[in-house]
Short mmCIF file of all heavy atoms in Angstrom, two decimals:
data_model
loop_
_atom_site.label_atom_id
_atom_site.label_comp_id
_atom_site.label_asym_id
_atom_site.label_seq_id
_atom_site.Cartn_x
_atom_site.Cartn_y
_atom_site.Cartn_z
N MET A 27 24.29 -21.81 0.81
CA MET A 27 25.43 -22.63 0.77
C MET A 27 24.90 -24.05 0.65
O MET A 27 24.09 -24.45 1.31
CB MET A 27 26.20 -22.50 2.07
CG MET A 27 26.83 -21.13 2.29
SD MET A 27 27.69 -20.77 3.88
CE MET A 27 28.18 -22.21 4.35
N LYS A 28 25.57 -24.73 -0.26
CA LYS A 28 25.20 -26.12 -0.57
C LYS A 28 26.26 -27.10 -0.06
O LYS A 28 27.43 -26.83 -0.10
CB LYS A 28 25.00 -26.38 -2.12
CG LYS A 28 23.70 -25.78 -2.62
CD LYS A 28 23.37 -26.25 -3.97
CE LYS A 28 22.06 -25.88 -4.35
NZ LYS A 28 21.61 -26.38 -5.80
N PHE A 29 25.62 -28.16 0.44
CA PHE A 29 26.56 -29.22 0.99
C PHE A 29 26.02 -30.61 0.45
O PHE A 29 24.83 -30.70 0.09
CB PHE A 29 26.44 -29.41 2.48
CG PHE A 29 27.06 -28.14 3.16
CD1 PHE A 29 26.15 -27.14 3.50
CD2 PHE A 29 28.36 -28.02 3.49
CE1 PHE A 29 26.64 -25.90 4.13
CE2 PHE A 29 28.83 -26.83 4.13
CZ PHE A 29 27.96 -25.88 4.49
N ALA A 30 26.94 -31.56 0.31
CA ALA A 30 26.40 -32.87 0.01
C ALA A 30 25.47 -33.49 1.11
O ALA A 30 25.79 -33.30 2.25
CB ALA A 30 27.70 -33.81 -0.25
N LEU A 31 24.41 -34.08 0.65
CA LEU A 31 23.54 -34.69 1.52
C LEU A 31 23.95 -36.09 1.89
O LEU A 31 23.71 -37.10 1.09
CB LEU A 31 22.16 -34.70 1.01
CG LEU A 31 20.98 -35.20 1.92
CD1 LEU A 31 21.07 -34.40 3.27
CD2 LEU A 31 19.73 -35.05 1.15
N THR A 32 24.75 -36.28 2.88
CA THR A 32 25.28 -37.50 3.32
C THR A 32 24.43 -38.26 4.40
O THR A 32 23.55 -37.55 4.94
CB THR A 32 26.72 -37.41 3.96
OG1 THR A 32 26.58 -36.66 5.17
CG2 THR A 32 27.59 -36.62 3.01
N ALA A 33 24.61 -39.53 4.47
CA ALA A 33 23.85 -40.35 5.44
C ALA A 33 24.16 -39.81 6.92
O ALA A 33 23.24 -39.71 7.80
CB ALA A 33 24.30 -41.83 5.30
N GLU A 34 25.43 -39.39 7.03
CA GLU A 34 25.88 -38.89 8.38
C GLU A 34 25.08 -37.55 8.81
O GLU A 34 24.66 -37.38 9.89
CB GLU A 34 27.35 -38.58 8.45
CG GLU A 34 27.95 -38.09 9.79
CD GLU A 34 29.40 -37.87 9.63
OE1 GLU A 34 29.98 -37.78 8.57
OE2 GLU A 34 29.98 -37.81 10.68
N LEU A 35 24.93 -36.74 7.66
CA LEU A 35 24.24 -35.41 7.94
C LEU A 35 22.84 -35.66 8.15
O LEU A 35 22.17 -35.12 9.18
CB LEU A 35 24.43 -34.55 6.70
CG LEU A 35 23.70 -33.18 6.74
CD1 LEU A 35 24.01 -32.43 7.97
CD2 LEU A 35 23.88 -32.42 5.47
N ILE A 36 22.12 -36.55 7.49
CA ILE A 36 20.75 -36.93 7.70
C ILE A 36 20.53 -37.50 9.12
O ILE A 36 19.66 -37.12 9.95
CB ILE A 36 20.20 -38.04 6.73
CG1 ILE A 36 20.20 -37.39 5.33
CG2 ILE A 36 18.83 -38.50 7.13
CD1 ILE A 36 20.04 -38.28 4.19
N ALA A 37 21.45 -38.38 9.62
CA ALA A 37 21.39 -38.99 10.93
C ALA A 37 21.58 -38.02 12.05
O ALA A 37 20.80 -37.96 13.00
CB ALA A 37 22.47 -40.15 11.04
N GLU A 38 22.53 -37.00 11.84
CA GLU A 38 22.83 -35.99 12.87
C GLU A 38 21.75 -35.00 12.95
O GLU A 38 21.36 -34.54 13.89
CB GLU A 38 24.12 -35.21 12.57
CG GLU A 38 25.32 -36.16 12.86
CD GLU A 38 26.66 -35.46 12.66
OE1 GLU A 38 26.74 -34.48 12.04
OE2 GLU A 38 27.68 -36.13 13.07
N ALA A 39 21.12 -34.68 11.71
CA ALA A 39 19.91 -33.76 11.76
C ALA A 39 18.72 -34.36 12.63
O ALA A 39 18.10 -33.62 13.25
CB ALA A 39 19.50 -33.56 10.29
N ARG A 40 18.57 -35.62 12.41
CA ARG A 40 17.51 -36.33 13.22
C ARG A 40 17.81 -36.37 14.68
O ARG A 40 17.11 -36.10 15.62
CB ARG A 40 17.26 -37.71 12.61
CG ARG A 40 16.53 -37.65 11.26
CD ARG A 40 16.05 -39.02 10.87
NE ARG A 40 15.29 -38.94 9.66
CZ ARG A 40 15.69 -39.49 8.49
NH1 ARG A 40 16.67 -40.36 8.53
NH2 ARG A 40 15.01 -39.38 7.39
N GLN A 41 19.18 -36.76 14.93
CA GLN A 41 19.60 -37.02 16.30
C GLN A 41 19.53 -35.66 17.16
O GLN A 41 19.04 -35.58 18.30
CB GLN A 41 21.08 -37.57 16.38
CG GLN A 41 21.58 -37.69 17.75
CD GLN A 41 22.96 -38.27 17.74
OE1 GLN A 41 23.62 -38.49 16.69
NE2 GLN A 41 23.65 -38.37 18.95
N PHE A 42 19.94 -34.63 16.54
CA PHE A 42 20.04 -33.35 17.26
C PHE A 42 18.90 -32.41 16.90
O PHE A 42 18.80 -31.21 17.26
CB PHE A 42 21.33 -32.57 16.92
CG PHE A 42 22.52 -33.34 17.33
CD1 PHE A 42 23.35 -34.01 16.46
CD2 PHE A 42 22.83 -33.57 18.64
CE1 PHE A 42 24.47 -34.67 16.81
CE2 PHE A 42 23.98 -34.28 19.06
CZ PHE A 42 24.82 -34.89 18.19
N GLU A 43 17.76 -32.96 16.11
CA GLU A 43 16.69 -32.11 15.79
C GLU A 43 16.97 -30.85 15.22
O GLU A 43 16.49 -29.77 15.58
CB GLU A 43 15.76 -31.95 17.13
CG GLU A 43 15.26 -33.28 17.74
CD GLU A 43 14.38 -33.16 18.87
OE1 GLU A 43 13.94 -31.90 19.13
OE2 GLU A 43 14.02 -34.09 19.58
N LEU A 44 17.89 -30.95 14.15
CA LEU A 44 18.25 -29.85 13.41
C LEU A 44 17.06 -29.02 12.95
O LEU A 44 16.12 -29.60 12.46
CB LEU A 44 19.15 -30.17 12.34
CG LEU A 44 19.58 -29.12 11.32
CD1 LEU A 44 20.68 -28.20 12.03
CD2 LEU A 44 20.28 -29.62 10.12
N ARG A 45 17.13 -27.67 12.92
CA ARG A 45 16.11 -26.89 12.34
C ARG A 45 16.92 -25.96 11.39
O ARG A 45 17.62 -25.12 11.78
CB ARG A 45 15.32 -26.10 13.31
CG ARG A 45 14.47 -26.84 14.22
CD ARG A 45 13.33 -27.59 13.50
NE ARG A 45 12.61 -28.48 14.39
CZ ARG A 45 12.78 -29.75 14.41
NH1 ARG A 45 13.70 -30.39 13.69
NH2 ARG A 45 12.01 -30.44 15.27
N SER A 46 16.57 -26.05 10.04
CA SER A 46 17.35 -25.24 9.03
C SER A 46 16.50 -24.79 7.94
O SER A 46 16.99 -24.08 7.13
CB SER A 46 18.56 -26.06 8.63
OG SER A 46 18.17 -27.12 7.90
N ALA A 47 15.31 -25.36 7.84
CA ALA A 47 14.52 -25.10 6.61
C ALA A 47 13.64 -23.78 6.83
O ALA A 47 13.39 -23.34 7.92
CB ALA A 47 13.56 -26.27 6.43
N CYS A 48 13.12 -23.29 5.68
CA CYS A 48 12.35 -22.04 5.71
C CYS A 48 11.09 -22.13 6.72
O CYS A 48 10.92 -21.05 7.35
CB CYS A 48 11.78 -21.76 4.36
SG CYS A 48 13.17 -21.44 3.17
N GLY A 49 10.56 -23.31 6.80
CA GLY A 49 9.42 -23.46 7.68
C GLY A 49 9.62 -23.11 9.17
O GLY A 49 8.73 -22.74 9.92
N ASP A 50 10.91 -23.15 9.51
CA ASP A 50 11.32 -22.83 10.92
C ASP A 50 11.98 -21.41 11.00
O ASP A 50 12.50 -21.14 12.11
CB ASP A 50 12.16 -23.97 11.53
CG ASP A 50 11.50 -25.18 11.77
OD1 ASP A 50 10.42 -25.20 12.38
OD2 ASP A 50 11.92 -26.27 11.20
N CYS A 51 11.99 -20.71 9.93
CA CYS A 51 12.73 -19.45 9.88
C CYS A 51 11.68 -18.22 10.10
O CYS A 51 10.59 -18.34 9.60
CB CYS A 51 13.33 -19.24 8.54
SG CYS A 51 14.12 -17.71 8.23
N MET A 52 12.15 -17.31 10.84
CA MET A 52 11.34 -16.12 11.17
C MET A 52 10.97 -15.32 9.95
O MET A 52 10.06 -14.45 9.97
CB MET A 52 11.86 -15.20 12.31
CG MET A 52 13.16 -14.53 11.99
SD MET A 52 13.87 -13.60 13.32
CE MET A 52 12.81 -12.18 13.25
N TYR A 53 11.75 -15.43 8.91
CA TYR A 53 11.43 -14.70 7.70
C TYR A 53 10.52 -15.39 6.59
O TYR A 53 10.31 -14.96 5.50
CB TYR A 53 12.76 -14.35 6.92
CG TYR A 53 13.74 -13.55 7.80
CD1 TYR A 53 14.96 -14.01 8.12
CD2 TYR A 53 13.36 -12.21 8.26
CE1 TYR A 53 15.82 -13.30 8.87
CE2 TYR A 53 14.12 -11.54 8.98
CZ TYR A 53 15.39 -12.01 9.37
OH TYR A 53 16.24 -11.21 10.18
N TRP A 54 10.00 -16.63 7.05
CA TRP A 54 9.18 -17.39 6.14
C TRP A 54 7.71 -16.88 6.47
O TRP A 54 7.21 -16.83 7.57
CB TRP A 54 9.22 -18.84 6.57
CG TRP A 54 8.26 -19.61 5.76
CD1 TRP A 54 7.21 -20.36 6.14
CD2 TRP A 54 8.41 -19.92 4.24
NE1 TRP A 54 6.57 -20.97 5.02
CE2 TRP A 54 7.31 -20.80 3.88
CE3 TRP A 54 9.35 -19.56 3.31
CZ2 TRP A 54 7.17 -21.16 2.60
CZ3 TRP A 54 9.18 -20.05 1.96
CH2 TRP A 54 8.05 -20.84 1.65
N SER A 55 7.05 -16.60 5.35
CA SER A 55 5.55 -16.31 5.38
C SER A 55 4.81 -17.45 4.98
O SER A 55 4.74 -17.80 3.74
CB SER A 55 5.23 -14.99 4.56
OG SER A 55 3.79 -14.84 4.38
N ALA A 56 4.00 -18.11 5.93
CA ALA A 56 3.20 -19.29 5.59
C ALA A 56 2.09 -18.82 4.73
O ALA A 56 1.67 -19.50 3.76
CB ALA A 56 2.71 -19.88 6.90
N ALA A 57 1.51 -17.58 5.00
CA ALA A 57 0.40 -17.21 4.19
C ALA A 57 0.71 -16.89 2.77
O ALA A 57 -0.06 -17.16 1.84
CB ALA A 57 -0.15 -15.88 4.83
N ARG A 58 1.99 -16.35 2.55
CA ARG A 58 2.42 -16.14 1.11
C ARG A 58 3.15 -17.32 0.48
O ARG A 58 3.47 -17.37 -0.68
CB ARG A 58 3.38 -14.94 1.12
CG ARG A 58 2.67 -13.63 1.56
CD ARG A 58 3.77 -12.53 1.79
NE ARG A 58 4.45 -12.25 0.61
CZ ARG A 58 5.70 -12.00 0.52
NH1 ARG A 58 6.52 -12.13 1.56
NH2 ARG A 58 6.34 -11.73 -0.65
N GLU A 59 3.54 -18.34 1.41
CA GLU A 59 4.35 -19.38 0.96
C GLU A 59 5.59 -18.92 0.32
O GLU A 59 5.97 -19.54 -0.69
CB GLU A 59 3.47 -20.39 0.12
CG GLU A 59 2.46 -21.06 0.91
CD GLU A 59 1.80 -22.31 0.19
OE1 GLU A 59 2.29 -22.59 -0.91
OE2 GLU A 59 0.90 -22.92 0.76
N THR A 60 6.21 -18.01 0.81
CA THR A 60 7.48 -17.59 0.36
C THR A 60 8.28 -16.76 1.39
O THR A 60 7.71 -16.53 2.42
CB THR A 60 7.20 -16.65 -0.87
OG1 THR A 60 8.45 -16.38 -1.48
CG2 THR A 60 6.64 -15.25 -0.49
N CYS A 61 9.46 -16.45 1.08
CA CYS A 61 10.39 -15.86 2.01
C CYS A 61 10.03 -14.28 2.01
O CYS A 61 9.90 -13.72 0.95
CB CYS A 61 11.81 -16.02 1.62
SG CYS A 61 12.97 -15.08 2.48
N TRP A 62 10.01 -13.64 3.16
CA TRP A 62 9.74 -12.24 3.22
C TRP A 62 10.85 -11.38 2.40
O TRP A 62 10.61 -10.27 2.01
CB TRP A 62 9.68 -11.76 4.69
CG TRP A 62 8.39 -11.99 5.29
CD1 TRP A 62 8.09 -12.86 6.36
CD2 TRP A 62 7.05 -11.42 4.93
NE1 TRP A 62 6.78 -12.89 6.58
CE2 TRP A 62 6.06 -12.04 5.83
CE3 TRP A 62 6.66 -10.59 4.03
CZ2 TRP A 62 4.77 -11.65 5.74
CZ3 TRP A 62 5.29 -10.19 3.91
CH2 TRP A 62 4.40 -10.87 4.79
N HIS A 63 11.96 -12.02 2.31
CA HIS A 63 13.09 -11.35 1.59
C HIS A 63 13.03 -11.75 0.14
O HIS A 63 14.03 -11.28 -0.60
CB HIS A 63 14.37 -11.62 2.25
CG HIS A 63 14.48 -11.04 3.67
ND1 HIS A 63 15.46 -11.37 4.56
CD2 HIS A 63 13.66 -10.17 4.22
CE1 HIS A 63 15.29 -10.77 5.70
NE2 HIS A 63 14.25 -9.95 5.51
N ASP A 64 12.18 -12.60 -0.27
CA ASP A 64 12.06 -13.12 -1.56
C ASP A 64 13.34 -13.83 -2.12
O ASP A 64 13.62 -13.74 -3.33
CB ASP A 64 11.74 -11.91 -2.60
CG ASP A 64 10.38 -11.53 -2.36
OD1 ASP A 64 9.42 -12.24 -2.02
OD2 ASP A 64 10.03 -10.19 -2.62
N TRP A 65 13.95 -14.37 -1.14
CA TRP A 65 15.18 -15.23 -1.57
C TRP A 65 14.58 -16.47 -2.27
O TRP A 65 13.52 -16.98 -2.03
CB TRP A 65 15.90 -15.79 -0.39
CG TRP A 65 16.58 -14.73 0.38
CD1 TRP A 65 16.53 -14.42 1.71
CD2 TRP A 65 17.73 -13.88 -0.15
NE1 TRP A 65 17.49 -13.42 2.06
CE2 TRP A 65 18.11 -13.03 0.92
CE3 TRP A 65 18.31 -13.65 -1.36
CZ2 TRP A 65 19.14 -12.11 0.76
CZ3 TRP A 65 19.28 -12.75 -1.50
CH2 TRP A 65 19.58 -11.93 -0.41
N PRO A 66 15.34 -16.94 -3.25
CA PRO A 66 14.89 -18.25 -3.87
C PRO A 66 15.09 -19.33 -2.77
O PRO A 66 16.13 -19.51 -2.24
CB PRO A 66 15.96 -18.41 -4.96
CG PRO A 66 17.06 -17.52 -4.68
CD PRO A 66 16.57 -16.42 -3.83
N ASP A 67 13.94 -19.93 -2.45
CA ASP A 67 14.00 -20.90 -1.30
C ASP A 67 14.04 -22.31 -1.75
O ASP A 67 13.93 -23.31 -0.98
CB ASP A 67 12.82 -20.70 -0.42
CG ASP A 67 11.48 -20.69 -1.20
OD1 ASP A 67 11.43 -21.46 -2.37
OD2 ASP A 67 10.48 -20.11 -0.83
N ILE A 68 14.31 -22.65 -2.99
CA ILE A 68 14.45 -23.99 -3.44
C ILE A 68 15.66 -24.68 -2.71
O ILE A 68 16.76 -24.03 -2.75
CB ILE A 68 14.61 -24.02 -5.02
CG1 ILE A 68 13.46 -23.51 -5.66
CG2 ILE A 68 14.99 -25.48 -5.41
CD1 ILE A 68 13.59 -23.20 -7.12
N GLY A 69 15.49 -25.71 -2.16
CA GLY A 69 16.54 -26.39 -1.43
C GLY A 69 16.50 -26.17 -0.01
O GLY A 69 16.20 -27.06 0.81
N GLN A 70 16.44 -24.96 0.51
CA GLN A 70 16.43 -24.76 1.93
C GLN A 70 15.04 -24.75 2.47
O GLN A 70 14.73 -24.82 3.64
CB GLN A 70 17.03 -23.39 2.42
CG GLN A 70 16.52 -22.18 1.85
CD GLN A 70 17.57 -21.66 0.85
OE1 GLN A 70 18.55 -22.22 0.58
NE2 GLN A 70 17.29 -20.37 0.40
N ARG A 71 14.07 -24.86 1.60
CA ARG A 71 12.58 -25.00 1.98
C ARG A 71 12.27 -26.47 2.19
O ARG A 71 11.32 -26.69 2.95
CB ARG A 71 11.73 -24.46 0.84
CG ARG A 71 10.19 -24.46 1.08
CD ARG A 71 9.57 -23.74 -0.06
NE ARG A 71 8.08 -23.94 0.17
CZ ARG A 71 7.12 -23.49 -0.67
NH1 ARG A 71 7.48 -22.73 -1.67
NH2 ARG A 71 5.95 -23.61 -0.51
N ARG A 72 13.01 -27.36 1.69
CA ARG A 72 12.69 -28.72 1.74
C ARG A 72 12.94 -29.28 3.18
O ARG A 72 13.92 -29.01 3.78
CB ARG A 72 13.59 -29.53 0.78
CG ARG A 72 13.30 -31.13 0.75
CD ARG A 72 14.34 -31.77 -0.17
NE ARG A 72 15.59 -31.80 0.40
CZ ARG A 72 16.70 -31.33 -0.43
NH1 ARG A 72 16.59 -31.02 -1.55
NH2 ARG A 72 17.88 -31.39 0.06
N TRP A 73 11.95 -30.05 3.73
CA TRP A 73 12.19 -30.66 4.98
C TRP A 73 11.27 -31.89 5.03
O TRP A 73 10.19 -31.90 4.59
CB TRP A 73 11.77 -29.72 6.15
CG TRP A 73 12.22 -30.17 7.49
CD1 TRP A 73 11.53 -30.93 8.44
CD2 TRP A 73 13.51 -30.11 7.96
NE1 TRP A 73 12.36 -31.15 9.45
CE2 TRP A 73 13.61 -30.76 9.19
CE3 TRP A 73 14.72 -29.56 7.43
CZ2 TRP A 73 14.75 -30.87 9.92
CZ3 TRP A 73 15.86 -29.68 8.21
CH2 TRP A 73 15.83 -30.32 9.40
N PRO A 74 11.79 -33.05 5.66
CA PRO A 74 13.15 -33.17 6.09
C PRO A 74 14.15 -33.12 5.01
O PRO A 74 13.86 -33.03 3.81
CB PRO A 74 13.14 -34.54 6.74
CG PRO A 74 12.03 -35.34 6.01
CD PRO A 74 11.02 -34.21 5.70
N LEU A 75 15.44 -33.06 5.39
CA LEU A 75 16.50 -32.89 4.41
C LEU A 75 16.49 -33.76 3.26
O LEU A 75 16.83 -33.41 2.23
CB LEU A 75 17.84 -32.87 5.14
CG LEU A 75 18.20 -31.74 6.11
CD1 LEU A 75 19.50 -32.08 6.83
CD2 LEU A 75 18.09 -30.40 5.59
N ASP A 76 16.00 -35.04 3.50
CA ASP A 76 16.07 -36.12 2.44
C ASP A 76 14.72 -36.27 1.91
O ASP A 76 14.53 -37.36 1.21
CB ASP A 76 16.70 -37.41 3.10
CG ASP A 76 15.90 -37.81 4.34
OD1 ASP A 76 15.08 -37.05 4.86
OD2 ASP A 76 16.14 -39.02 4.64
N ALA A 77 13.79 -35.45 2.00
CA ALA A 77 12.52 -35.54 1.43
C ALA A 77 12.62 -35.56 -0.12
O ALA A 77 13.41 -34.83 -0.73
CB ALA A 77 11.52 -34.36 1.84
N PRO A 78 11.88 -36.53 -0.81
CA PRO A 78 12.04 -36.68 -2.26
C PRO A 78 11.24 -35.46 -2.91
O PRO A 78 10.45 -34.76 -2.28
CB PRO A 78 11.31 -37.88 -2.55
CG PRO A 78 10.43 -38.32 -1.38
CD PRO A 78 11.10 -37.59 -0.22
N ASP A 79 11.74 -35.08 -4.08
CA ASP A 79 11.16 -34.03 -4.83
C ASP A 79 9.68 -34.35 -4.99
O ASP A 79 9.33 -35.38 -5.49
CB ASP A 79 11.83 -33.89 -6.20
CG ASP A 79 11.25 -32.72 -6.99
OD1 ASP A 79 10.11 -32.71 -7.36
OD2 ASP A 79 12.07 -31.70 -7.22
N PRO A 80 8.73 -33.38 -4.59
CA PRO A 80 7.28 -33.65 -4.70
C PRO A 80 6.76 -33.91 -6.14
O PRO A 80 5.71 -34.44 -6.34
CB PRO A 80 6.69 -32.42 -4.06
CG PRO A 80 7.76 -31.37 -4.18
CD PRO A 80 9.05 -32.00 -4.15
N VAL A 81 7.47 -33.42 -7.14
CA VAL A 81 6.98 -33.53 -8.46
C VAL A 81 7.65 -34.78 -9.06
O VAL A 81 6.92 -35.65 -9.63
CB VAL A 81 7.39 -32.26 -9.29
CG1 VAL A 81 6.95 -32.48 -10.84
CG2 VAL A 81 6.69 -31.05 -8.65
N THR A 82 8.98 -34.78 -9.11
CA THR A 82 9.62 -35.93 -9.79
C THR A 82 9.85 -37.20 -8.96
O THR A 82 10.08 -38.31 -9.40
CB THR A 82 11.06 -35.44 -10.26
OG1 THR A 82 11.88 -35.28 -9.09
CG2 THR A 82 10.91 -34.24 -11.13
N GLY A 83 9.83 -36.99 -7.55
CA GLY A 83 10.08 -38.19 -6.70
C GLY A 83 11.56 -38.52 -6.53
O GLY A 83 12.06 -39.44 -5.89
N ALA A 84 12.49 -37.60 -7.14
CA ALA A 84 13.81 -37.74 -7.08
C ALA A 84 14.40 -37.63 -5.58
O ALA A 84 14.00 -36.64 -4.94
CB ALA A 84 14.59 -36.80 -8.07
N VAL A 85 15.33 -38.45 -5.33
CA VAL A 85 16.01 -38.24 -3.96
C VAL A 85 17.02 -37.22 -4.12
O VAL A 85 17.87 -37.29 -4.99
CB VAL A 85 16.67 -39.64 -3.46
CG1 VAL A 85 17.34 -39.48 -2.19
CG2 VAL A 85 15.49 -40.69 -3.50
N PRO A 86 17.09 -36.22 -3.17
CA PRO A 86 17.99 -35.14 -3.25
C PRO A 86 19.49 -35.66 -2.91
O PRO A 86 19.62 -36.61 -2.16
CB PRO A 86 17.63 -34.22 -2.16
CG PRO A 86 16.78 -34.95 -1.25
CD PRO A 86 16.15 -36.07 -2.00
N VAL A 87 20.46 -34.99 -3.55
CA VAL A 87 21.87 -35.39 -3.35
C VAL A 87 22.57 -34.28 -2.62
O VAL A 87 23.75 -34.46 -2.20
CB VAL A 87 22.55 -35.74 -4.69
CG1 VAL A 87 21.91 -36.96 -5.31
CG2 VAL A 87 22.53 -34.56 -5.65
N ASP A 88 21.97 -33.11 -2.52
CA ASP A 88 22.60 -32.07 -1.73
C ASP A 88 21.59 -31.29 -0.88
O ASP A 88 20.35 -31.56 -1.04
CB ASP A 88 23.35 -31.08 -2.58
CG ASP A 88 22.45 -30.60 -3.78
OD1 ASP A 88 21.22 -30.32 -3.51
OD2 ASP A 88 23.02 -30.11 -4.74
N VAL A 89 22.05 -30.49 -0.06
CA VAL A 89 21.14 -29.67 0.78
C VAL A 89 21.64 -28.25 0.84
O VAL A 89 22.85 -27.95 0.73
CB VAL A 89 21.13 -30.27 2.26
CG1 VAL A 89 22.46 -30.29 2.90
CG2 VAL A 89 20.12 -29.51 3.15
N ALA A 90 20.70 -27.28 0.95
CA ALA A 90 21.13 -25.88 0.96
C ALA A 90 20.85 -25.33 2.34
O ALA A 90 19.74 -25.61 2.95
CB ALA A 90 20.39 -25.14 -0.15
N PHE A 91 21.71 -24.47 2.93
CA PHE A 91 21.49 -23.86 4.07
C PHE A 91 21.65 -22.34 3.82
O PHE A 91 22.53 -21.87 3.28
CB PHE A 91 22.55 -24.27 5.17
CG PHE A 91 22.37 -25.57 5.68
CD1 PHE A 91 23.44 -26.62 5.44
CD2 PHE A 91 21.31 -26.06 6.32
CE1 PHE A 91 23.33 -27.88 5.84
CE2 PHE A 91 21.13 -27.37 6.81
CZ PHE A 91 22.13 -28.30 6.52
N CYS A 92 20.58 -21.65 4.30
CA CYS A 92 20.49 -20.23 3.99
C CYS A 92 21.32 -19.40 5.03
O CYS A 92 21.12 -19.67 6.26
CB CYS A 92 19.05 -19.74 4.06
SG CYS A 92 18.77 -18.00 3.83
N LYS A 93 22.02 -18.48 4.66
CA LYS A 93 22.93 -17.69 5.59
C LYS A 93 21.99 -16.77 6.41
O LYS A 93 22.44 -16.14 7.37
CB LYS A 93 23.92 -16.90 4.88
CG LYS A 93 25.06 -17.71 4.11
CD LYS A 93 26.07 -16.83 3.60
CE LYS A 93 27.26 -17.68 2.98
NZ LYS A 93 28.22 -16.78 2.32
N GLU A 94 20.78 -16.54 6.00
CA GLU A 94 19.95 -15.54 6.67
C GLU A 94 18.89 -16.20 7.65
O GLU A 94 18.10 -15.64 8.12
CB GLU A 94 19.14 -14.68 5.71
CG GLU A 94 18.83 -13.29 6.29
CD GLU A 94 18.64 -12.25 5.25
OE1 GLU A 94 18.71 -12.47 4.01
OE2 GLU A 94 18.28 -11.18 5.69
N PHE A 95 19.08 -17.54 7.71
CA PHE A 95 18.11 -18.27 8.46
C PHE A 95 18.10 -17.83 9.97
O PHE A 95 19.15 -17.60 10.62
CB PHE A 95 18.46 -19.79 8.54
CG PHE A 95 17.63 -20.67 9.47
CD1 PHE A 95 16.44 -21.10 9.06
CD2 PHE A 95 18.00 -20.94 10.74
CE1 PHE A 95 15.61 -21.87 9.86
CE2 PHE A 95 17.29 -21.66 11.60
CZ PHE A 95 16.03 -22.10 11.20
N GLU A 96 17.02 -17.53 10.45
CA GLU A 96 16.84 -17.12 11.98
C GLU A 96 15.71 -18.03 12.53
O GLU A 96 14.63 -17.97 11.99
CB GLU A 96 16.41 -15.65 12.05
CG GLU A 96 17.39 -14.70 11.77
CD GLU A 96 18.68 -14.59 12.71
OE1 GLU A 96 18.46 -15.03 13.96
OE2 GLU A 96 19.63 -13.98 12.33
N LEU A 97 16.07 -18.77 13.57
CA LEU A 97 15.18 -19.66 14.17
C LEU A 97 14.04 -18.97 14.66
O LEU A 97 14.10 -18.00 15.38
CB LEU A 97 15.87 -20.39 15.25
CG LEU A 97 15.11 -21.55 15.95
CD1 LEU A 97 14.62 -22.71 14.86
CD2 LEU A 97 15.78 -22.20 17.07
N ARG A 98 12.83 -19.42 14.33
CA ARG A 98 11.58 -18.85 14.81
C ARG A 98 11.38 -19.07 16.32
O ARG A 98 11.54 -20.15 16.81
CB ARG A 98 10.52 -19.41 13.90
CG ARG A 98 9.11 -18.93 14.24
CD ARG A 98 8.06 -19.75 13.51
NE ARG A 98 8.36 -19.88 12.01
CZ ARG A 98 7.51 -19.33 11.05
NH1 ARG A 98 6.43 -18.65 11.45
NH2 ARG A 98 7.82 -19.39 9.82
S1 LIG B 1 15.75 -16.16 5.13
FE1 LIG B 1 16.44 -17.96 4.04
S2 LIG B 1 15.70 -19.62 5.45
FE2 LIG B 1 14.60 -17.86 5.96
S3 LIG B 1 12.75 -18.02 4.78
FE3 LIG B 1 14.16 -16.83 3.58
S4 LIG B 1 15.11 -18.26 2.22
FE4 LIG B 1 14.09 -19.44 3.88
#
């Protein structure tokens, strides 16, 4: 599910120490650097939410939350 990446969302994620990215999910394989379910992880893998694109440096305008995320 995608949502607009607003300043309010970024602030609340920091304030409440939100965990929503693949790196904090029990289905993430660090060794394989991919999801055990092979979901496309573009978007929900990014952390922090407002991290720029590592290739282009572009600032993200939206954020993806995976419905299968399970906190590790
Ligand atoms: S289940 Fe979703 S949040 Fe978890 S590792 Fe896979 S793509 Fe990422």
